[in-house]
Amino acid sequence: MSTRKSKDNSVLHQNRFASSPEFERGVIATGAAKRCAILDDKKDRELVWFVHHLSHKDGGLAAVAVDLLKMYPHRLGTPSMVTFENRKSQKFNVDEVREIRMEMPRELRRQFPLRGETKSELYQISEDRFERLQRQADNSRRLCQMAEFALHRFAMIDAGRQVELDAMDAQEREEAKKNPAAYPVAEFRDLCRQAAEHGDSQENQFLTLEKELFRLCLDPACDLKKSGPWYFADLFNVLREYHQQWIQKKSNVVVTTLGKKVYETLDYTLHSHSLTLLEGNARMGKSFSARAWCEQHPGKARFVEVPGGNDDAAFFRALARGIGLGNFLSYKVAEIRDRVESVLRTGDIILVLDEAQRLWPQRIRYSFPSRIIWVMTLANAGVPICMVSTPQFILAQKAIEKSGWNSDQLTGRNGYYEFLPTELETSDLMAVSRSVLPEANDEVLKALSIYAKTSARYLAAVDTIAKRAKYIAERAGRENCSTQDIRTAMKESVIPSDTMLAHALDQAKNKTTRTRLLPSPKPVALVQTKIPPNRANNPPTEFEPAISRLAGGIAELVKG
């Protein structure tokens, strides 16, 4: 609780660390929403939401800062350093050093004295007025040292020691001639990197690149049209390039015919700011396509899987996690709902609700559809929402009409409805297989596609075979799986497992009350064989003839 504090020397309790700032990783979505509310440029708002999205990924903004420094080391620097970026020389000359130096914090300017510059001249560069230096001498160790040096000179003049002072100045001038006339570019880059990682001084550690990214998302005074922090003046342009590279990287996924329809529907939903519904059979890849589209639009979309049950707490907590509301566990349900709405009502973010059939009341078919009502309310406010569901959505909608609820309220607000294809083309299945198993040849890929069509799990079967093949390769001490690993995964693991699962489901379907399982099961679709009731305790030797026949059938199909 915010009203309870634990002293450092008190008795150790686990919950004393619950409020540690290290746990506050992601940017709070409500703060980002307020920040975007005062940004007129749509691209700037998208950039803020992109950085907000990254803050809730593994590593948070600290990982983003490391990535930026690794990818764009040549873009570090002050505005003048960025201007001199394409220069061929590896050193900054006198004029360039002077220009760069004035763009750095005052306490860092003295680290780069030029030939012939004395300490007093460097102090004048560091501060504009000596009077201001005297007033602030007691507030800063740096300013105090500068004040003592200047006061010592005035004391010598008052004591009539001008000749001695001139001799000291002459000696200092001779020593100043030893200063370099130029500095390596790498030395300035290293200083900028150090400031980005640790701050430019002990007093200004808050100016790290990670904190600057936080400030970009939350500080209304941060102007995205101007340059960034002194050590990374080109930061905002770099972030825009990083954003485009992120999108390009996330776009390297297989888009099936079904996936194209998902993409088109989501594009329309975002454009029209309407409520849409995508329906399709299970295991066809609609959720994968919707999630992939959201990953390709990190500054515009948030993907949330609707939890089961009827309680509002689970629903709004899932929304809070998907939207990125930070530490919301201490909030009440009404408070979470208000915060979720404050973010979505900005209209910058499209909400993609997967497993949308769970929006309807579960188990209690005649109860009030509160989740659907909430979705309709946001749709009325112009929030773009796309519901991705199985065919159970429409069935549940028709069933709820028996309670007296007017289903036309939802139908009238539905801006677009799309029923996805019920099966995928062989070319799509082969493309998906190639994406998860790039080591496989065309013959194996075609066999995988045929098996996926015959399996009740469809695309999930391909994914299972890929995971099993990689597991076999890892157990053998190899990084990449071979074609033989894929064949082994199909013949010895996945196909027998699918067969046993289909047999178990078939037995459970035909089981009667207080009776034993049927000793002679009906033939299943995958493998035509008899399986004893105690199959779980027997080795898989009885499957070998059936598996061989299936493998032979697949081989014949491949050859054909």
Side-chain angles (χ1 to χ4, degrees):
M1 296 178 61
S2 60
T3 57
R4 294 185 180 182
K5 301 294 182 182
S6 176
K7 297 180 179 180
D8 292 339
N9 58 353
S10 63
V11 179
L12 179 62
H13 295 283
Q14 295 186 41
N15 56 359
R16 68 180 294 182
F17 303 106
S19 300
S20 299
E22 289 78 6
F23 297 142
E24 298 289 339
R25 172 174 291 178
V27 177
I28 300 177
T30 50
K34 291 181 179 179
R35 168 83 165 110
C36 291
I38 60 175
L39 293 176
D40 297 328
D41 193 337
K42 186 177 180 180
K43 293 294 183 181
D44 290 346
R45 297 198 300 270
E46 184 177 350
L47 182 63
V48 170
W49 283 118
F50 167 63
V51 177
H52 167 267
H53 174 74
L54 296 182
S55 70
H56 291 273
K57 293 291 184 180
D58 293 340
L61 291 182
V64 178
V66 172
D67 205 15
L68 291 175
L69 295 177
K70 181 180 179 181
M71 294 176 60
Y72 305 96
H74 58 288
R75 304 286 284 276
L76 276 171
T78 67
S80 295
M81 290 174 63
V82 175
T83 304
F84 304 146
E85 178 183 353
N86 296 325
R87 64 197 313 279
K88 296 181 180 180
S89 176
Q90 296 300 316
K91 287 189 175 182
F92 291 124
N93 57 36
V94 174
D95 295 333
E96 291 172 343
V97 171
R98 286 174 177 169
E99 186 174 351
I100 294 171
R101 216 166 42 178
M102 294 306 296
E103 297 169 342
M104 299 171 62
R106 297 183 185 279
E107 62 271 16
L108 297 180
R109 297 174 186 173
R110 298 195 306 275
Q111 295 186 20
F112 300 96
L114 292 169
R115 183 174 298 170
E117 287 183 340
T118 62
K119 292 182 178 180
S120 59
E121 291 173 342
L122 287 176
Y123 285 146
Q124 292 177 3
I125 295 175
S126 300
E127 285 292 336
D128 296 329
R129 293 183 180 180
F130 179 73
E131 293 78 11
R132 180 183 178 187
L133 177 64
Q134 287 182 310
R135 290 196 305 268
Q136 297 180 349
D138 57 340
N139 296 329
S140 172
R141 182 181 57 211
R142 173 183 59 82
L143 296 178
C144 183
Q145 292 175 351
M146 295 168 61
E148 290 176 357
F149 178 81
L151 290 174
H152 177 69
R153 293 180 61 86
F154 284 133
M156 292 180 66
I157 295 175
D158 292 340
R161 300 165 58 187
Q162 183 67 44
V163 176
E164 182 180 354
L165 183 60
D166 292 340
M168 291 176 55
D169 290 341
Q171 183 180 359
E172 183 180 0
R173 185 74 61 183
E174 289 297 322
E175 294 178 356
K177 294 180 180 179
K178 300 177 182 179
N179 294 333
Y183 281 90
V185 175
E187 189 170 344
F188 281 93
R189 300 283 188 200
D190 292 341
L191 181 62
C192 292
R193 176 180 290 275
Q194 182 180 358
E197 293 177 347
H198 309 291
D200 52 26
S201 67
Q202 293 183 353
E203 293 80 7
N204 291 324
Q205 292 182 359
F206 62 91
L207 293 177
T208 61
L209 181 56
E210 178 186 0
K211 298 300 186 295
E212 287 291 342
L213 294 175
F214 268 99
R215 197 172 74 88
L216 178 149
C217 295
L218 301 173
D219 188 0
C222 181
D223 190 352
L224 299 181
K225 301 300 182 184
K226 296 182 179 180
S227 60
W230 71 266
Y231 54 80
F232 209 147
D234 206 27
L235 175 61
F236 302 141
N237 290 329
V238 166
L239 280 174
R240 290 182 173 89
E241 294 180 17
Y242 185 70
H243 184 195
Q244 296 303 318
Q245 292 185 12
W246 170 280
I247 294 175
Q248 184 178 1
K249 181 180 179 181
K250 294 298 180 179
S251 299
N252 295 328
V253 296
V254 176
V255 182
T256 63
T257 304
L258 181 145
K260 291 180 181 179
K261 290 185 176 295
V262 173
Y263 280 27
E264 291 174 0
T265 302
L266 290 173
D267 288 335
Y268 172 75
T269 305
L270 180 61
H271 173 76
S272 62
H273 280 243
S274 58
L275 176 67
T276 59
L277 174 61
L278 274 170
E279 272 198 342
N281 293 339
R283 304 175 302 277
M284 299 294 295
K286 61 183 183 302
S287 297
F288 175 85
S289 299
R291 188 186 296 271
W293 186 91
C294 291
E295 286 292 324
Q296 296 169 23
H297 298 77
K300 300 178 181 179
R302 294 295 182 265
F303 182 91
V304 177
E305 180 179 339
V306 179
N310 298 318
D311 60 316
D312 290 339
F315 176 58
F316 286 108
R317 286 190 177 119
L319 290 172
R321 281 190 297 269
I323 294 174
L325 279 177
N327 187 10
F328 57 87
L329 296 179
S330 61
Y331 297 151
K332 298 179 180 179
V333 176
E335 295 175 330
I336 299 176
R337 183 188 63 221
D338 292 342
R339 285 165 172 78
V340 169
E341 291 181 0
S342 67
V343 174
L344 294 177
R345 286 178 180 272
T346 60
D348 294 327
I349 298 296
I350 173 178
L351 179 62
V352 180
L353 295 174
D354 190 31
E355 302 294 344
Q357 69 275 6
R358 299 174 185 170
L359 292 172
W360 297 103
Q362 307 294 308
R363 297 184 301 276
I364 308 174
R365 285 296 183 183
Y366 304 117
S367 60
F368 188 72
S370 58
R371 294 181 177 183
I372 290 291
I373 296 297
W374 181 83
V375 170
M376 291 167 48
T377 302
L378 287 189
N380 292 339
V383 178
I385 301 176
C386 181
M387 300 179 293
V388 183
S389 171
T390 61
Q392 281 71 29
F393 187 94
I394 297 296
L395 297 177
Q397 179 176 348
K398 300 302 294 184
I400 206 68
E401 292 178 352
K402 298 179 181 179
S403 65
W405 185 74
N406 186 6
S407 177
D408 293 338
Q409 298 182 41
L410 176 62
T411 304
R413 290 174 175 81
N414 195 342
Y416 184 76
Y417 170 79
E418 178 71 50
F419 190 84
L420 301 172
T422 57
E423 64 178 12
L424 297 177
E425 299 292 336
T426 303
S427 59
D428 289 337
L429 292 173
M430 288 188 64
V432 173
S433 301
R434 183 177 290 105
S435 67
V436 296
L437 287 171
E439 303 89 350
N441 55 34
D442 291 341
E443 179 183 353
V444 175
L445 292 176
K446 192 169 184 180
L448 285 174
S449 304
I450 295 173
Y451 178 67
K453 283 192 173 184
T454 60
S455 173
R457 296 193 299 156
Y458 218 73
L459 283 180
V462 177
D463 183 61
T464 303
I465 292 174
K467 291 180 179 178
R468 189 71 184 184
K470 293 176 182 177
Y471 170 75
I472 294 173
E474 184 177 350
R475 290 287 298 269
R478 290 179 277 106
E479 294 183 1
N480 299 323
C481 60
S482 63
T483 302
Q484 185 58 39
D485 294 332
I486 301 171
R487 295 181 184 275
T488 303
M490 290 180 63
K491 294 178 60 176
E492 298 181 6
S493 300
V494 178
I495 294 178
S497 174
D498 284 357
T499 303
M500 287 186 290
L501 177 61
H503 171 63
L505 293 174
D506 187 67
Q507 282 189 326
K509 181 179 179 181
N510 294 282
K511 182 180 178 181
T512 57
T513 306
R514 296 181 182 180
T515 59
R516 299 182 64 182
L517 295 177
L518 297 177
S520 300
K522 296 181 179 180
V524 295
L526 294 179
V527 179
Q528 305 292 337
T529 185
K530 292 184 178 181
I531 304 175
N534 60 345
R535 174 66 194 90
N537 299 323
N538 293 335
T541 55
E542 67 269 24
F543 285 106
E544 293 180 357
I547 294 172
S548 299
R549 292 196 300 272
L550 177 60
I554 291 177
E556 291 180 2
L557 288 172
V558 171
K559 292 179 181 179

